[in-house]
Amino acid sequence: MTKNISFIFLILFIQNSVFSQQKPQKQNVNFALAIHGGAGTILKKNMTPELEKEYTDKLNEALQKGYDTLSKGGSSLDAVIVSIKILEDSPLFNAGKGSVFTADGKNEMDASIMDGKTLMAGSVAGVRKIKNPITAARCVMEKSQHVMMVGNGAEQFAVQCKCDFADSAYFFDQKRWNQFQKIKEKELNKPVLDTTGSIKPSEVFFKDEKFGTVGLVALDKYGNLAAGTSTGGMTNKKYGRVGDSPIIGAGTYANNKTCAVSCTGHGEFFIRSVVAYDVSALMEYKGLSLADAANEVIMKKLVSLGAEGGLIAIDAKGNITMPFNSAGMYRGYMKSDGKKEILIYR
Ligand code: ASP
């Protein structure tokens, strides 16, 4: 008798596991994604029509590739990687190839990724030779027991992950170098550590320079959210400075229960305000809509602190919001219903 019962249980168990493997994942038709290429003092008067076209074309290419990934049934994480790699490979944006220079004339990049389904996350900071830091961040998430790796250690791990590497000549961009020289000159006239307190750090770092951190948030056909961010940081950054972009909860966050967020702006403020997680927390604990939560953080909290920047965010229904409090933000979105927009200015 007991033997018979055990046999029945065994059959039921086998059936159940075979069926659960065959069960197709439920598909959500409302897939969507949003992209940013950085916020800052991006003014139409400083832009030529040709340059504007270069930016919109590149954002469009990255957005379209991410969209194609999602429409073919790829995951939101795959879309994050595909799109961000395209922007990292372009000198137009401050990430990967187009990374800005540190105070000692080097390029140090940060990147992070988060999976809203599992709440797993990975990030790298202060890496100098990884061609696409976002791929290394994903590898940290998927192939290590850790969340964040920095500098040489992150690069050593990226070798194991078979990430592509590039030398400093690849990351050198004359325009970025000229920007850096201009900032250096300004710094000579206005030291950062002004003891009179008359200069806010945001002025030295941020005012009339354009930024171009890149980020992507996506909702896939299976209802899973993901977010990723990649950056060269801020021009003239010093002493191994790390910004918000590789910090989970500050520059990047994703949770299927709420939203996926990627930020851009003056990192020190974004870290202190835990911006990306704050948006999610306002939704989770206060029941705010995506747009209201993001607005609260970018337009109220950060503005009251004097911090410039913005974010892109998407919720589990595919709603998208892209608030920023700076002059401009390279941004765009695409939805499965065919809606698409690419914007630069306010
Ligand atoms: N948030 C980046 C950082 O502070 C910079 C940016 O978004 O432009 O490193």
Side-chain angles (χ1 to χ4, degrees):
M1 178 67 178
T2 6
K3 246 190 185 170
N4 280 351
I5 291 177
S6 326
F7 183 69
I8 290 168
F9 272 121
L10 181 68
I11 297 290
L12 282 175
F13 173 76
I14 292 170
Q15 259 187 355
N16 197 27
S17 42
V18 167
F19 279 124
S20 64
Q21 271 168 24
Q22 286 172 348
K23 220 188 289 166
Q25 276 188 280
K26 207 172 140 246
Q27 294 206 346
N28 168 9
V29 275
N30 287 327
F31 67 91
L33 73 171
I35 199 163
H36 75 77
T41 314
I42 308 161
L43 295 167
K44 196 161 176 79
K45 68 173 176 53
N46 299 333
M47 189 78 90
T48 62
E50 294 75 29
L51 192 58
E52 197 175 288
K53 187 173 178 319
E54 275 186 55
Y55 275 108
T56 45
D57 285 354
K58 198 42 91 179
L59 286 169
N60 192 34
E61 180 191 337
L63 201 52
Q64 187 65 51
K65 285 273 161 54
Y67 182 89
D68 294 346
T69 303
L70 295 176
S71 81
K72 283 185 208 141
S75 70
S76 46
L77 287 171
D78 291 339
V80 165
I81 298 290
V82 163
S83 299
I84 289 188
K85 272 179 84 176
I86 291 172
L87 301 186
E88 283 179 339
D89 290 344
S90 161
L92 290 172
F93 301 93
N94 171 21
K97 180 158 178 56
S99 291
V100 297
F101 287 94
T102 64
D104 54 0
K106 306 237 165 64
N107 308 103
E108 280 181 8
M109 298 162 285
D110 307 329
S112 67
I113 190 164
M114 184 157 181
D115 179 359
K117 180 184 173 191
T118 59
L119 302 184
M120 295 292 281
S123 78
V124 293
V127 295
R128 291 186 169 170
K129 299 180 216 142
I130 302 174
K131 185 167 173 260
N132 295 106
I134 194 69
T135 58
R138 185 175 189 174
C139 195
V140 171
M141 173 173 77
E142 293 179 339
K143 305 216 165 90
S144 83
Q145 296 172 329
H146 307 301
V147 170
M148 188 170 192
M149 293 186 194
V150 303
N152 289 339
E155 283 172 353
Q156 239 174 288
F157 185 67
V159 172
Q160 287 178 33
C161 293
K162 303 202 167 29
C163 289
D164 291 335
F165 278 73
D167 59 14
S168 53
Y170 169 82
F171 294 107
F172 184 86
D173 180 73
Q174 191 61 48
K175 270 198 228 135
R176 293 270 182 240
W177 183 258
N178 298 345
Q179 273 176 5
F180 168 56
Q181 295 307 319
K182 259 190 5 203
I183 287 195
K184 279 267 175 211
E185 268 168 41
K186 270 194 210 163
E187 195 183 40
L188 282 180
N189 304 328
K190 277 186 178 185
V192 181
L193 298 175
D194 184 344
T195 45
T196 67
S198 60
I199 299 167
K200 284 195 228 129
S202 61
E203 281 173 352
V204 178
F205 271 137
F206 220 64
K207 276 292 182 284
D208 40 28
E209 289 306 322
K210 293 165 206 76
F211 297 87
T213 291
V214 305
L216 193 104
V217 293
L219 168 69
D220 63 27
K221 287 185 171 179
Y222 316 104
N224 294 321
L225 293 169
T229 311
S230 181
T231 189
M234 294 178 80
T235 307
N236 202 29
K237 63 185 181 182
K238 299 176 176 66
Y239 320 112
R241 179 262 187 193
V242 172
D244 60 313
S245 310
I247 302 201
I248 299 303
T252 303
Y253 190 73
N255 184 342
N256 276 5
K257 276 212 285 197
T258 53
C259 59
V261 183
S262 170
C263 300
T264 169
H266 194 159
E268 279 67 12
F269 289 91
F270 278 65
I271 294 172
R272 290 193 289 253
S273 302
V274 203
V275 169
Y277 180 72
D278 213 21
V279 174
S280 171
L282 283 170
M283 293 177 73
E284 186 172 358
Y285 303 123
K286 280 202 150 185
L288 261 59
S289 70
L290 179 78
D292 287 349
N295 212 51
E296 182 72 33
V297 181
I298 296 294
M299 308 310 277
K300 293 189 191 159
K301 189 174 179 178
L302 287 182
V303 167
S304 72
L305 296 171
E308 260 192 86
L311 61 80
I312 51 168
I314 186 168
D315 70 14
K317 291 188 191 122
N319 295 308
I320 285 171
T321 189
M322 308 188 290
F324 58 97
N325 61 35
S326 46
M329 180 167 89
Y330 300 106
R331 65 201 186 278
Y333 68 83
M334 236 173 138
K335 294 186 171 192
S336 49
D337 65 7
K339 258 191 167 170
K340 176 184 184 178
E341 240 179 330
I342 291 177
L343 302 155
I344 300 180
Y345 315 104
R346 215 187 272 265

